[in-house]
Amino acid sequence: MRNFISQFVRNESGASAAEYALILVIVGIAIVVGALALGGSIGDAMSGAASCIDAGTSGACASF
């Protein structure tokens, strides 16, 4: 049992899992920041596209 505990304490394979978790957190934060920064522009574009669809015209909304 003592041998198992000493090997468990010296085992460094958990460090790579912690590094992967840190990378995932950083990527997640970047996605959230990007979504917040682009949210208004994307919302405006979707509203414009929806108004073109509601109008039923193909030539009036050529920018979309």
Side-chain angles (χ1 to χ4, degrees):
M1 184 67 169
R2 180 172 284 185
N3 189 20
F4 173 74
I5 293 173
S6 66
Q7 286 179 354
F8 181 75
V9 171
R10 284 187 272 137
N11 188 359
E12 295 183 9
S13 63
S16 62
E19 291 167 358
Y20 286 128
L22 182 61
I23 291 170
L24 287 174
V25 168
I26 291 171
V27 168
I29 290 172
I31 289 171
V32 169
V33 168
L36 290 175
L38 295 174
S41 299
I42 293 172
D44 292 342
M46 291 296 180
S47 295
S51 65
C52 287
I53 292 171
D54 287 341
T57 58
S58 60
C61 298
S63 63
F64 288 104

